[in-house]
Amino acid sequence: MESTPKTWRLRVELDDSPGALARMTIRLAERECNVLALSVIPVPGGVIDELVVRAAPGLLPADLVAAVKAEGGRCVGITSADMRDLVDGPTAALRAAGHAMKLPGGVCDAVRGVLGADSVVVADGDVEENDHRIRIETADATLVARRGWAPFTHVEVARAEALVELLGAGAPTTSALMTEDGMAVVLRPGLVGDADAVAALHTRCSMGTLFNRYHSGLRTLPRRWLHRLLTPPRGTTVLAQCADQVIGMGQLIPMSTPDSAEVSLLVEDAWQGRGVGTGLLLALARTARAAGYRELVGWCLTAETGLLRTAAKAGLPVSSRREDGLLRVSVGSSRVESASPQVASG
């Protein structure tokens, strides 16, 4: 049994009668629960009350649902919460907009934060909408948001659409950075038409750089690999481009565990140590966080510490361990909003 309190975010429907909310909070207090925040969400035909509750040690979600039901209410959603949930909707929207403006390309993550969604990604086909999966249109892309713990409300959808409109999000994954020596680099999604540029990138990389990336004595890429590198199934590829040359690339591939995705980076030798890898990792971390991944996993040779150094310079939590003859590097995406890619540092 847990020895520390757990914080939960509940959405409840109560009878429209005087004192109903007060009686429910009293019942929660009798179970040694502390209500930390309360907000009211208008819905057709009434309202939904959202509470952030710190429960007594050992108290289960089912116990909270039972307390709501005992006062004639209905729990329409419950999920774990943290300190970021202790703000109202407008404050959360303003905060998300501020982060997205500081971090170009962070629109998906901003929308995820405003909606409290499990994931927000760019749609790769038709989207079948329902109460738990919605579509948000931008100028050039369609975002799909998913949330299992509670249905989306009309107010929340309108708030997310207003945020996207404010940010002018036409390309949710495009961003830019400035290296320490003043070179402008664009980070953008990889496209099938980039095959020749990516092939040229590999020819400019040293054997050591290619060996660290592919763990084999590869010198040039077989043509059949290029399409898979640029458009990986269910994954994401980000390219770093300066002028007309692709100088680096990063990939994010889902793993079998739902909270983890595999990450890999390749930066040509002349651009290493100038912040390109840091920018690529931050862009992939934002994409991972918006898609609901909490951990990015990189597989490195045991003597290769480049990914560890890059994650540290990006301000992301990182750890490593030896596994199957390789170094398994674990990078957290939780603090990606605290680091700015506009001025690269390493």
Side-chain angles (χ1 to χ4, degrees):
M1 184 174 292
E2 294 183 12
S3 59
T4 57
K6 180 73 175 178
T7 305
W8 299 97
R9 183 177 180 181
L10 295 88
R11 290 194 172 182
V12 301
E13 288 182 345
L14 296 171
D15 292 335
D16 187 14
S17 60
L21 179 59
R23 289 192 297 271
M24 186 190 67
T25 57
I26 290 172
R27 185 174 287 271
L28 289 172
E30 290 173 347
R31 300 298 304 269
E32 299 184 29
C33 296
N34 186 17
V35 177
L36 304 177
L38 169 66
S39 58
V40 179
I41 303 172
V43 296
V47 298
I48 288 177
D49 295 303
E50 179 175 288
L51 300 90
V52 178
V53 175
R54 179 166 294 162
L59 204 63
L60 301 175
D63 299 321
L64 299 176
V65 173
V68 172
K69 187 176 180 181
E71 290 299 334
R74 184 172 73 92
C75 184
V76 298
I78 183 169
T79 188
S80 59
D82 58 29
M83 292 303 293
R84 288 173 297 182
D85 295 312
L86 298 179
V87 297
D88 56 34
T91 302
L94 289 171
R95 184 173 294 168
H99 285 316
M101 288 176 178
K102 292 177 183 177
L103 300 173
V107 177
C108 288
D109 193 30
V111 173
R112 185 198 62 82
V114 166
L115 292 175
D118 299 323
S119 67
V120 177
V121 297
V122 178
D124 57 4
D126 293 335
V127 178
E128 183 178 346
E129 295 186 274
N130 55 44
D131 290 344
H132 295 270
R133 183 173 58 244
I134 59 171
R135 180 178 59 199
I136 300 171
E137 298 291 345
T138 74
D140 299 314
T142 298
L143 308 184
V144 55
R146 295 179 175 87
R147 187 172 72 188
W149 65 273
F152 292 109
T153 67
H154 294 295
V155 170
E156 290 175 311
V157 174
R159 192 177 291 151
E161 290 174 342
L163 174 64
V164 168
E165 184 178 352
L166 171 67
L167 297 173
T173 56
T174 299
S175 59
L177 62 85
M178 188 74 70
T179 65
E180 284 186 336
D181 53 355
M183 299 298 292
V185 176
V186 174
L187 306 179
R188 62 174 180 82
L191 305 172
V192 174
D194 293 313
D196 289 339
V198 170
L201 162 67
H202 284 74
T203 63
R204 296 193 301 272
C205 290
S206 67
M207 288 293 292
T209 291
L210 294 175
F211 193 83
N212 286 336
R213 167 62 179 86
Y214 296 105
H215 306 166
S216 67
L218 185 72
R219 180 55 190 163
T220 57
L221 276 184
R223 197 73 184 178
R224 65 181 183 276
W225 284 19
L226 290 172
H227 179 79
R228 189 174 184 87
L229 276 175
L230 288 165
T231 56
R234 300 183 301 113
T236 299
T237 295
V238 176
L239 302 182
Q241 181 171 334
C242 183
D244 60 349
Q245 284 192 337
V246 172
I247 60 173
M249 64 184 301
Q251 278 192 309
L252 193 70
I253 309 293
M255 298 176 65
S256 58
T257 51
D259 289 341
S260 303
E262 184 175 348
V263 66
S264 60
L265 302 174
L266 176 69
V267 177
E268 73 171 88
D269 297 61
W271 287 89
Q272 291 176 14
R274 298 166 67 179
V276 177
T278 303
L280 285 168
L281 184 59
L282 281 169
L284 293 171
R286 288 196 302 273
T287 299
R289 173 173 165 149
Y293 301 119
R294 298 181 180 179
E295 178 192 39
L296 284 68
V297 176
W299 297 96
C300 306
L301 301 175
T302 53
E304 173 56 38
T305 60
L307 183 57
L308 284 166
R309 296 195 308 271
T310 299
K313 290 176 181 177
L316 300 173
V318 61
S319 61
S320 65
R321 69 171 186 263
R322 293 189 179 224
E323 189 174 307
D324 298 328
L326 294 172
L327 190 68
R328 184 188 190 277
V329 179
S330 173
V331 181
S333 64
S334 60
R335 293 205 301 268
V336 65
E337 71 275 5
S338 65
S340 173
Q342 297 186 30
V343 180
S345 60

